[in-house]
Amino acid sequence: MPGRWALFTGYAGVVSEIDFYRMSQWQLVIAFASMASSNLFFDDIRSKVDVDPPQNEESTDVGELVNDPGQTALKPNGTVSSSVRELLECPVCLNAMYPPIHQCSNGHTICSGCKPRVHNRCPTCRHELGNIRCLALEKVAASLELPCKYQGFGCIGIYPYYSKLKHESQCAYRPYNCPYAGSECSIMGDIPYLVAHLKDDHKVDMHNGSTFNHRYVKSNPHEVENATWMLTVFSCFGQYFCLHFEAFQLGMAPVYIAFLRFMGDDNEAKNYSYSLEVGGNGRKMIWQGVPRSIRDSHRKVRDSFDGLIIQRNMALFFSGGDRKELKLRVTGRIWKEQ
């Protein structure tokens, strides 16, 4: 990546590398504004950059920049060039920088998260970083507007720089993680993509309909160190649901759990309910609940015990016979709430 000063050459025509590093923070703000207005980095930056020098730079409250209503309103216009984005990119983690943005005495910047990782040494020039804030860059960032990083998934919003991160953490278009529980699968995508992925790559059983009747068999139910799990995907009501069944250790006791997850967001999941039933030898257990969104990880749902939990002794009792083999039949149905 070129030095930060190089991004200014050609704009003012007289800015050398030495001059750049000698600039005050306020002079940097003016230089940014000049650069942006002359190159049309975004439509109305001049109306957003305050050109009255602050009375006391050290007391500038960046929180005011973040929470300013004028900065957090969604606006349809305004784009930022790759050069400005590079200025706000941490040279270590390559992520966008947010206050506090640190800089060394030579003007090289770094995000607050990476500062401890480099042992207080500038990764560019190796000078000591100290505790210098780059208030100029923080102020320029407050005037920027950027598209959501999930634009490719359908989000068309343009957001103020300091609001973008929060939006992206809640964006309805952000991709889902693969719901497969048998391995730490890193695949992400929208629901149609994940359904195809589960079928083709994980060889998951696919069923149409809102009722199910499954039989789970394990020859040695005393071994739960490597969790026994199964995943089945059901298609009904124009949606997809994941039925999980597995064994895990609850304290000192092995238990079995079955639960349903909805392939979509939580607000949609609440429109559905499901029931699970397991039994044998004249006894039965019934669970009724609301499917959890796959936004919640498989482990999170399991560890919250949000499903049908069967103690091993009870599971073996349901299995009948000599209690040396697990034979459980789990039935259930899914319905849409009116």
Side-chain angles (χ1 to χ4, degrees):
M1 179 185 298
R4 306 292 191 196
W5 72 274
L7 298 171
F8 287 87
T9 59
Y11 298 119
V14 294
V15 179
S16 68
E17 182 174 12
I18 295 177
D19 292 335
F20 174 74
Y21 291 133
R22 287 178 176 174
M23 282 182 175
S24 69
Q25 291 179 337
W26 180 242
Q27 287 173 320
L28 285 173
V29 172
I30 297 175
F32 268 109
S34 175
M35 177 181 67
S37 61
S38 63
N39 288 275
L40 298 179
F41 285 164
F42 44 96
D43 294 340
D44 54 352
I45 188 171
R46 283 181 292 181
S47 65
K48 297 176 184 175
V49 175
D50 184 1
V51 294
D52 293 326
Q55 298 301 313
N56 186 350
E57 283 187 343
E58 298 302 321
S59 64
T60 301
D61 186 359
V62 177
E64 293 178 1
L65 301 176
V66 177
N67 299 317
D68 181 0
Q71 298 291 349
T72 58
L74 177 63
K75 297 180 181 181
N77 297 321
T79 58
V80 184
S81 81
S82 59
S83 298
V84 176
R85 294 191 192 189
E86 286 181 7
L87 288 169
L88 291 164
E89 183 181 90
C90 174
V92 177
C93 66
L94 304 181
N95 292 324
M97 295 186 290
Y98 294 88
I101 299 175
H102 298 278
Q103 70 174 35
C104 71
S105 58
N106 286 330
H108 303 122
T109 55
I110 188 172
C111 74
S112 58
C114 289
K115 185 184 176 188
R117 294 171 55 191
V118 298
H119 307 292
N120 205 37
R121 290 285 175 183
C122 174
T124 304
C125 66
R126 309 305 300 167
H127 284 193
E128 185 175 353
L129 285 170
N131 291 308
I132 307 173
R133 287 273 294 277
C134 188
L135 298 178
L137 191 55
E138 291 176 3
K139 188 174 180 68
V140 169
S143 66
L144 303 183
E145 292 178 330
L146 298 171
C148 173
K149 72 176 181 179
Y150 301 124
Q151 189 177 45
F153 288 91
C155 184
I156 60 174
I158 303 294
Y159 298 91
Y161 186 82
Y162 291 137
S163 301
K164 178 174 176 284
L165 202 62
K166 181 179 180 180
H167 160 77
E168 289 172 348
S169 69
Q170 304 170 347
C171 180
Y173 292 93
R174 68 192 190 278
Y176 299 89
N177 293 312
C178 173
Y180 191 72
S183 63
E184 295 298 326
C185 182
S186 61
I187 293 296
M188 300 176 69
D190 58 19
I191 299 303
Y193 177 82
L194 289 182
V195 169
H197 165 68
L198 289 170
K199 180 181 178 180
D200 298 336
D201 299 329
H202 293 300
K203 310 303 180 184
V204 170
D205 289 335
M206 301 283 175
H207 294 273
N208 292 317
S210 59
T211 60
F212 44 89
N213 186 339
H214 284 267
R215 189 165 180 259
Y216 300 100
V217 179
K218 182 171 174 60
S219 58
N220 188 354
H222 296 277
E223 296 180 358
V224 294
E225 289 79 8
N226 296 319
T228 302
W229 51 265
M230 293 186 69
L231 172 63
T232 307
V233 174
F234 293 89
S235 174
C236 55
F237 308 108
Q239 307 288 349
Y240 290 94
F241 299 83
C242 296
L243 176 63
H244 296 266
F245 179 85
E246 70 175 81
F248 72 106
Q249 201 81 20
L250 180 59
M252 298 296 293
V255 298
Y256 299 92
I257 185 171
F259 57 88
L260 197 71
R261 287 202 291 167
F262 175 74
M263 296 189 71
D265 283 333
D266 186 61
N267 61 333
E268 294 180 88
K270 293 176 180 177
N271 296 325
Y272 301 90
S273 296
Y274 73 101
S275 64
L276 298 172
E277 180 179 316
V278 62
N281 287 332
R283 282 87 169 172
K284 66 180 178 181
M285 296 173 61
I286 299 176
W287 163 267
Q288 181 172 320
V290 175
R292 296 279 288 271
S293 166
I294 60 171
R295 295 285 188 202
D296 290 335
S297 70
H298 158 268
R299 182 178 294 275
K300 180 179 179 179
V301 179
R302 188 198 71 183
D303 291 349
S304 66
F305 315 129
D306 191 3
L308 175 65
I309 297 178
I310 314 163
Q311 300 289 337
R312 184 178 66 182
N313 288 338
M314 182 62 73
L316 292 175
F317 181 79
F318 288 154
S319 299
D322 55 8
R323 297 166 62 91
K324 292 183 179 180
E325 185 178 36
L326 179 71
K327 295 179 181 178
L328 284 181
R329 185 173 296 279
V330 177
T331 61
R333 70 184 185 96
I334 307 166
W335 66 91
K336 188 172 184 178
E337 297 291 350
Q338 300 300 322

